[in-house]
């Protein structure tokens, strides 16, 4: 099919936009906007936002993996240029970090909010914030490699 590769690149970019764009919003807009609120208000809002966002990122990751897995052999597979290999490696690291946030750190925030244990919740949210910053930087590095190093 003549349009298969452009469609796969489109779906790949939809996944990247949702993931990296969402992290940009969370870090540069949501975090400062919530910073002055008390933990009783801030932590439930953060839990509600991240619960929805992390589910969306799960779908974005499936899209990125399926489209990227389809595109990889089309762009040379093992013989692909080094930025493509770098994208795959950094992309997998980002997915592992996401998995850690989603399945190890975020449940601590959720439990703390349900039990109204605000200090524990604040610690969990701080960890999520740091890991999201790591993934945010890796995300922009990956996009830069994929586009600038062609
Ligand atoms: C881990 C699984 C991934 C695989 C197997 C993969 C594979 C690919 C392949 C084969 C291409 C086409 C090559 C090219 O256009 O030069 C591509 C394009 C692209 N990828 Fe990935 N990728 C993955 C993850 C990611 C991640 C995590 C990001 C960003 C956060 C990303 C960003 C991009 C961008 C922006 C393009 C478009 C480049 C362009 O057309 O100018 N990829 N990907």
């Amino acid at each position: 099919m003549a349009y298969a590769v452009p469609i796969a690149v489109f779906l790949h970019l939809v996944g990247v936009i949702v993931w990296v764009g969402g992290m940009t919003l969370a870090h540069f807009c949501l975090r400062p906007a919530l910073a002055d609120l008390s933990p009783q208000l801030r932590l439930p809002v953060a839990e509600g936002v991240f619960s929805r966002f992390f589910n969306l990122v799960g779908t974005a990751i499936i899209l990125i993996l399926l489209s990227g897995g389809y595109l990889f052999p089309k762009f040379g597979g093992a013989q692909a240029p080094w930025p493509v290999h770098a994208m795959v490696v950094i992309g997998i690291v980002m997915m592992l970090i996401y998995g850690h946030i989603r399945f190890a750190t975020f449940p601590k925030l959720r439990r703390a909010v349900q039990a109204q244990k605000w200090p524990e919740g604040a610690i969990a949210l701080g960890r999520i914030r740091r890991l999201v910053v790591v993934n945010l930087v890796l995300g922009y590095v990956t996009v830069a490699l994929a586009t600038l190093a062609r």
Side-chain angles (χ1 to χ4, degrees), residues 9 12-13 16 19-20 64-65 67-75 80-81 83-84 87-95 135 138-140 142-148 150:
V9 172
H12 200 68
L13 291 183
V16 170
W19 191 3
V20 180
I64 291 171
L65 275 178
S67 54
Y70 174 78
L71 289 168
F72 188 67
K74 309 271 178 201
F75 281 79
V84 174
M87 171 172 24
V88 176
V89 171
I90 301 174
I92 289 168
V93 171
M94 287 176 67
M95 289 168 198
N135 258 359
L138 291 178
Y140 279 96
T142 312
V143 173
L145 284 170
T147 53
L148 302 178
R150 277 168 154 255

Side-chain angles (χ1 to χ4, degrees), residues 4-145:
V5 167
I7 289 171
V9 172
F10 168 70
L11 294 175
H12 200 68
L13 291 183
V14 169
V16 170
I17 289 163
V18 167
W19 191 3
V20 180
M23 291 192 295
T24 305
L25 176 90
H27 186 69
F28 289 105
C29 307
L30 182 69
R31 190 184 56 88
L34 294 183
D36 292 335
L37 298 183
S38 67
Q40 287 89 333
L41 292 174
R42 185 166 54 92
L43 296 173
V45 172
E47 194 266 339
V49 170
F50 282 128
S51 157
R52 290 166 180 83
F53 177 57
F54 291 148
N55 286 341
L56 212 55
V57 174
T59 309
I61 285 178
I62 292 171
L63 215 52
I64 291 171
L65 275 178
L66 289 178
S67 54
Y70 174 78
L71 289 168
F72 188 67
K74 309 271 178 201
F75 281 79
Q79 270 70 50
W82 70 266
V84 174
H85 288 278
M87 171 172 24
V88 176
V89 171
I90 301 174
I92 289 168
V93 171
M94 287 176 67
M95 289 168 198
L96 292 173
I97 292 173
Y98 162 80
H100 182 76
I101 300 174
R102 178 73 187 79
F103 299 109
T105 316
F106 178 69
K108 287 185 184 142
L109 173 64
R110 170 163 281 170
R111 282 196 297 274
V113 168
Q114 281 165 354
Q116 304 196 350
K117 292 184 171 170
W118 308 121
E120 280 96 325
I123 291 170
L125 185 58
R127 285 202 187 117
I128 291 172
R129 188 183 60 77
R130 281 192 292 278
L131 290 169
V132 167
V133 170
V134 174
N135 258 359
L136 187 59
V137 173
L138 291 178
Y140 279 96
V141 169
T142 312
V143 173
L145 284 170

